[in-house]
Amino acid sequence: MTDRKNLLSGPAPTLLAEEAEPYRRLAEESASPTQLAADYPWFSLAWAMLADDAFTEGRVVESYAYARTGYHRGLDALRRAGWKGHGPVPWEHRANRGFLRCLAGLARAADAIHEDEEATRCWDFLRDSSPEAYTALKQ
């Protein structure tokens, strides 16, 4: 008998590597999101925080730029982790949350500047990657 691959199951969930230092600095409040983005430009959570702050303050174009930066940094990290352009990116894995928040932030800012196609693509991508993140972040 030969081993068969289950063709109905999708790709394995992608879990980004987690580095402790930026999380430690966040917890200790020893660095602002701006400082974390400068010190750890790959750390999507810092970009997500900057995007959220800018959006809340009505600086939608800045929010869009921050979210786009974190999104692209996150895509790079996902690819390094073996992601092939689709498949689950679990919300419950802390290191994935920065990317997922950037994706939601990009969708939100795209909505606000009437980039409707991009907003729809981003919301769909978020829902497909992590239904839990979609539920938590789509407001």
Side-chain angles (χ1 to χ4, degrees), residues 34-82:
T34 301
Q35 188 61 53
L36 288 171
D39 292 347
Y40 310 101
W42 49 264
F43 187 54
S44 289
L45 182 57
W47 297 105
M49 295 170 74
L50 290 168
D52 289 347
D53 290 346
F55 194 86
T56 298
E57 295 169 4
R59 296 179 287 118
V60 177
V61 172
E62 286 179 48
S63 177
Y64 182 90
Y66 288 134
R68 181 165 285 290
T69 300
Y71 164 78
H72 282 288
R73 291 295 191 147
L75 285 177
D76 292 343
L78 285 168
R79 288 182 187 114
R80 282 192 303 276

Side-chain angles (χ1 to χ4, degrees), residues 60-139:
V60 177
V61 172
E62 286 179 48
S63 177
Y64 182 90
Y66 288 134
R68 181 165 285 290
T69 300
Y71 164 78
H72 282 288
R73 291 295 191 147
L75 285 177
D76 292 343
L78 285 168
R79 288 182 187 114
R80 282 192 303 276
W83 184 74
K84 303 293 186 206
H86 67 284
V89 181
W91 173 249
E92 48 281 348
H93 182 65
R94 179 171 81 160
N96 290 351
R97 287 188 173 202
F99 167 75
L100 295 167
R101 283 181 56 185
C102 283
L103 182 53
L106 185 56
R108 179 187 60 219
D111 270 334
I113 62 172
H114 307 291
E115 282 286 340
D116 299 331
E117 288 181 25
E118 181 174 30
T120 298
R121 272 193 314 275
C122 289
W123 287 126
D124 290 348
F125 183 13
L126 181 63
R127 186 186 57 246
D128 293 345
S129 298
S130 174
E132 297 81 8
Y134 181 84
T135 298
L137 300 171
K138 178 110 166 77
Q139 299 163 12

Side-chain angles (χ1 to χ4, degrees), residues 4-21:
R4 295 183 190 191
K5 182 178 179 182
N6 180 353
L7 298 177
L8 296 178
S9 67
T14 302
L15 305 177
L16 294 175
E18 185 172 310
E19 295 194 30
E21 186 62 16

